[in-house]
Amino acid sequence: MASATENKRERYLADTNSPVCGLNVAEPFKLLTAKEKLYAHFVGKASWAGARIIQGQWTEYAQDLYKMIILTFSDGDKKALTDLDALKKLSGLSDEEWQWTLEYAAQVRLCFRTCALARILDIFVVRVRKNKDGSFTLLVASASTTAPDANTPKTTTLDSKAKLAIEYGDFKEALEKSADALTEAKKYAANDTQRKMLDGYISSFKSGSIEEHKQASTEWVKDISPVVESYLGFIETYVDPYGGRAEWEGFTAIVDKELTKKYDKLVADASQLVKTLPWGPPFEVDVFRKPDFTALQVLTFATGGIPAGINVSNYYEVREKTGFKNVSLANILAAKAPNEEVTFIHPDDLEKYNAWDTRSFELQVANHELLGHGSGKLFQEDSDGKFNFDRETINPLTNEKVKSWYKPGQTPGTVLGAVSSSFEECRAETVALYLVSNKKILNIFGYTEQQDIEDIQHITFLLMARAGLRALEYWDPDAKKHLQAHMQARLGITNFLVSNGLAKVELIRSEDGSTLENAYIRVDREKVLKEGKDIVAKLLIDLQVRKSTADGDGARSFYTKLTQPPSDWEGDLRELVLHKKQPRKLFLQPNTVVVGDGDDLDVQLKEYPLTSAGVIESFIERDI
């Protein structure tokens, strides 16, 4: 087994033998009309235009590194892959060195991440640059170099020593390209709602205005069940250490009609299903706004890491006034590499795990996104001093009247701080565990036989516990911090399952006990079936009540303790997790190409070989 120092270093290196997974989207793409294909093409082009922003959000060197890789592997001005055999011969590299070169080049673009600072006035699109003279510059992402409001100050004083200048036009070129592509997409929009949505995106990317992006998001929520779905902009804050600024992302996808039928039924019943959650009516939303919940086949996704499901918009006022959308990314969920090793699952559980993991995850994503993120009330006081909750409400954690709530202008992000994003993911994941035994939901997904009902409950808990153990990979024992919001949430839930007797870790050591050779996460099937729901309910109440009542200090203290790895996990068990870390999957996305002219325009889908060279070729021809 590698040493602790080697494992820490390897975390920052490109993987070897990374599985390249294709996105199976050719069949649904064929069913689109020419107009829908053109709409998808130009929105996808707008999404990928912003991919250069992701690079710049991480480090100033990333964009130059990307340019160098593209120039190295492309054939001059032809925007095509060069003769790789000739390039290898010219390079003088060995076969192994050449393979490492291809794998690094294929992965480096996909692994750029945002590194951001705290949100300022609910603004997701800023960076702060420290200048040589000790002053600071607030960089606002926008195609325009001029502030949209003439009254916006150009400088402000932070304290007696430091000054802050405000500068527009950050990522100007990328946002101009994105806005231009969206202008083309408007020609092929399906309805006025889509056109208003695109207008909002265009205005936002030009001006840097979050308010205009909120307006676009409002129109996006109103665009119910489009054939071609999309959303783009500065969206998620997971990779910001302070949970503030957002990473660029943009996607286009095609509706999976069969799976969406199940989701439609789940949506229809959602307002009743949320009433079964354990925190009771005072802590549930007054009116559950039924979202658009759709299964999608991804065509294009420009982001630092593709999720399995999405619940957006993240703007609380949009969610409250208009609603939100949930999407499950079906071909991401289904993407598997051949002969993929399943770590930490006991041989006795392996056959059952392999039979149910994809179906369990599909159900988990549905419950997480719709009934997890869609549920739960925030206790608020508005600017007129009115409250959206009964002041006599009893806090079940203290058995006293509620003493705290969100004041005007406050959000979970500002009150809970750095733990806010992960705290919410933990709440949604726990909702999914709680609801896995709900017979009505299981029936919607076709699970009516008692054996199937029991199996999916068991494997869903096992799936979560395995994820929590693997989350040790994202725990930095030196800094005592988690490096990924979702994995922090899963580790916390697994801690809770272990402490309540639902799960345990079996350690397999050498005969002399000196070496940890393997480990298995085991879930007590019988106890899960009898007590799992009631035990999970206790965690849910803690999470929801602290969030509802704006208990910032209490939430941070509770969550820090919940997600602290047990002391006996931080040594050789964590080293084993790092040693068994699986290579990251590379999602090889197709490209779309406009063909024909005039009234005979059409779009063709171009797919690539499932190799590192195929990944490189796709980015050369994407021309971002």
Side-chain angles (χ1 to χ4, degrees):
M1 190 183 299
S3 68
T5 301
E6 289 171 335
N7 277 328
K8 188 170 184 179
R9 184 180 67 246
E10 287 177 1
R11 196 171 3 141
Y12 301 100
L13 302 179
D15 293 316
T16 58
N17 301 315
S18 287
V20 180
C21 303
L23 300 185
N24 295 323
V25 72
E27 290 304 314
F29 185 80
K30 289 178 183 177
L31 301 178
L32 298 180
T33 66
K35 181 180 179 181
E36 290 166 345
K37 288 178 182 177
L38 285 161
Y39 179 77
H41 168 78
F42 285 109
V43 175
K45 190 174 180 180
S47 298
W48 277 116
R52 302 302 294 273
I53 296 174
I54 303 172
Q55 299 169 0
Q57 287 177 311
W58 177 235
T59 169
E60 61 183 303
Y61 306 111
Q63 293 178 336
D64 289 338
L65 177 59
Y66 177 77
K67 289 178 184 177
M68 183 187 74
I69 291 173
I70 294 298
L71 287 171
T72 300
F73 289 97
S74 61
D75 187 7
D77 295 329
K78 296 180 180 179
K79 293 186 175 65
L81 188 67
T82 192
D83 184 333
L84 293 182
D85 290 335
L87 183 60
K88 178 190 174 187
K89 185 176 181 180
L90 184 66
S91 71
L93 297 175
S94 67
D95 289 346
E96 184 179 48
E97 289 169 335
W98 177 250
Q99 185 60 31
W100 288 346
T101 301
L102 290 178
E103 289 176 339
Y104 175 79
Q107 292 174 49
V108 71
R109 159 60 194 94
L110 301 180
C111 296
F112 289 135
R113 293 283 189 167
T114 300
C115 181
L117 297 174
R119 180 182 302 171
I120 299 175
L121 300 174
D122 204 27
I123 294 177
F124 290 62
V125 296
V126 298
R127 297 192 292 167
V128 175
R129 180 182 68 212
K130 185 175 182 179
N131 304 313
K132 292 181 179 179
D133 62 0
S135 66
F136 297 87
T137 301
L138 182 72
L139 302 171
V140 182
S142 63
S144 173
T145 57
T146 305
D149 184 350
N151 295 320
T152 299
K154 293 184 178 180
T155 60
T156 186
T157 301
L158 297 177
D159 55 36
S160 58
K161 296 181 180 179
K163 291 185 177 180
L164 175 74
I166 300 174
E167 182 180 305
Y168 282 77
D170 199 21
F171 303 119
K172 178 179 186 296
E173 183 178 350
L175 289 167
E176 282 178 340
K177 288 176 67 174
S178 184
D180 289 344
L182 291 173
T183 300
E184 287 298 306
K186 275 184 62 179
K187 300 175 184 178
Y188 309 103
N191 50 55
D192 284 340
T193 301
Q194 281 187 358
R195 281 184 278 274
K196 290 178 182 177
M197 173 188 75
L198 295 179
D199 280 335
Y201 289 149
I202 293 167
S203 297
S204 172
F205 299 160
K206 287 182 176 179
S207 67
S209 167
I210 289 297
E211 286 303 317
E212 288 172 337
H213 195 265
K214 289 179 181 178
Q215 293 170 17
S217 298
T218 298
E219 298 300 327
W220 178 73
V221 174
K222 293 177 182 177
D223 187 28
I224 303 297
S225 299
V227 174
V228 177
E229 183 62 280
S230 63
Y231 192 55
L232 64 162
F234 297 84
I235 311 299
E236 301 289 359
T237 63
Y238 299 130
V239 293
D240 178 354
Y242 296 94
R245 293 187 313 165
E247 181 182 40
W248 171 275
E249 70 176 44
F251 75 86
T252 57
I254 304 164
V255 170
D256 181 324
K257 294 183 179 179
E258 287 303 312
L259 189 52
T260 297
K261 288 179 183 178
K262 297 178 184 179
Y263 292 167
D264 286 343
K265 179 60 176 171
L266 190 62
V267 168
D269 295 342
S271 59
Q272 295 303 312
L273 291 169
V274 295
K275 293 179 181 178
T276 69
L277 293 170
W279 45 69
F283 293 88
E284 190 48 74
V285 289
D286 298 323
V287 179
F288 183 86
R289 299 184 184 278
K290 293 181 180 180
D292 186 20
F293 196 13
T294 310
L296 301 176
Q297 303 285 352
V298 171
L299 176 63
T300 294
F301 210 136
T303 183
I306 302 179
I310 304 170
N311 176 283
V312 279
S313 161
N314 290 333
Y315 302 122
Y316 186 73
E317 54 268 58
V318 175
R319 298 171 72 89
E320 279 291 286
K321 294 179 181 178
T322 309
F324 53 93
K325 284 187 182 182
N326 292 272
V327 299
S328 171
L329 307 181
N331 55 344
I332 301 298
L333 282 167
K336 279 190 174 182
N339 303 316
E340 187 175 322
E341 181 187 0
V342 180
T343 55
F344 309 117
I345 297 297
H346 194 278
D348 292 349
D349 298 325
L350 190 58
E351 182 179 356
K352 190 84 69 178
Y353 184 89
N354 285 332
W356 281 97
D357 67 331
T358 299
R359 287 177 287 176
S360 295
F361 195 44
E362 176 187 277
L363 180 61
Q364 179 183 326
V365 168
N367 284 331
H368 172 116
E369 299 294 349
L370 174 62
L371 301 169
H373 288 310
S375 62
K377 183 175 185 173
L378 300 184
F379 289 8
Q380 294 177 309
E381 177 185 2
D382 66 19
S383 56
D384 295 326
K386 295 179 180 178
F387 297 86
N388 71 340
F389 65 98
D390 185 347
R391 295 289 301 279
E392 300 298 311
T393 298
I394 299 298
N395 182 329
L397 304 181
T398 63
N399 291 320
E400 298 177 351
K401 291 180 183 179
V402 168
K403 296 180 178 179
S404 58
W405 52 86
Y406 294 91
K407 303 301 194 305
Q410 289 184 330
T411 66
T414 60
V415 173
L416 272 64
V419 306
S420 177
S421 292
S422 184
F423 194 97
E424 171 59 14
E425 293 305 325
C426 186
R427 194 184 68 86
E429 289 279 55
T430 310
V431 167
L433 280 184
Y434 181 83
L435 291 174
V436 72
S437 59
N438 186 288
K439 296 289 182 67
K440 195 167 190 177
I441 296 174
L442 290 169
N443 184 64
I444 290 172
F445 282 81
Y447 305 122
T448 56
E449 298 296 325
Q450 188 61 29
Q451 185 66 42
D452 288 348
I453 289 172
E454 292 180 3
D455 284 348
I456 199 168
Q457 290 180 53
H458 173 215
I459 299 304
T460 298
F461 273 76
L462 183 57
L463 195 74
M464 180 63 69
R466 176 177 182 252
L469 181 60
R470 293 176 65 211
L472 285 172
E473 176 188 334
Y474 299 90
W475 166 253
D476 185 333
D478 296 329
K480 300 295 181 185
K481 64 185 292 187
H482 296 269
L483 305 177
Q484 211 282 339
H486 291 81
M487 298 308 280
Q488 179 180 3
R490 291 161 186 159
L491 191 149
I493 294 170
T494 302
N495 268 345
F496 185 82
L497 299 181
V498 170
S499 64
N500 283 274
L502 291 175
K504 65 179 180 179
V505 178
E506 291 184 4
L507 303 179
I508 309 301
R509 294 191 176 275
S510 59
E511 289 187 9
D512 62 4
S514 63
T515 303
L516 180 62
E517 296 180 340
N518 208 341
Y520 300 117
I521 187 76
R522 307 299 302 273
V523 164
D524 187 327
R525 179 186 175 101
E526 184 176 350
K527 191 167 185 177
V528 162
L529 298 178
K530 288 184 178 180
E531 305 175 48
K533 181 179 179 180
D534 292 337
I535 289 174
V536 166
K538 298 175 185 177
L539 176 58
L540 263 187
I541 292 170
D542 238 316
L543 292 167
Q544 182 58 55
V545 170
R546 293 183 191 282
K547 182 171 183 180
S548 287
T549 60
D551 180 12
D553 290 339
R556 284 187 292 273
S557 175
F558 171 81
Y559 198 63
T560 299
K561 182 178 179 181
L562 178 71
T563 61
Q564 172 72 33
S567 58
D568 57 345
W569 284 28
E570 291 196 74
D572 53 6
L573 180 56
R574 179 175 176 274
E575 294 304 318
L576 179 70
V577 170
L578 291 173
H579 178 68
K580 286 182 169 288
K581 180 174 73 74
Q582 300 297 291
R584 287 160 286 196
K585 292 179 180 177
L586 298 182
F587 290 104
L588 176 51
Q589 300 184 39
N591 278 320
T592 52
V593 182
V594 176
V595 295
D597 52 43
D599 295 332
D600 295 323
L601 283 180
D602 199 4
V603 177
Q604 293 179 348
L605 188 74
K606 181 169 183 182
E607 298 179 296
Y608 300 88
L610 296 179
T611 63
S612 293
V615 174
I616 296 168
E617 184 179 10
S618 73
F619 275 97
I620 289 172
E621 296 190 356
R622 198 160 284 136
D623 189 27
I624 62 172

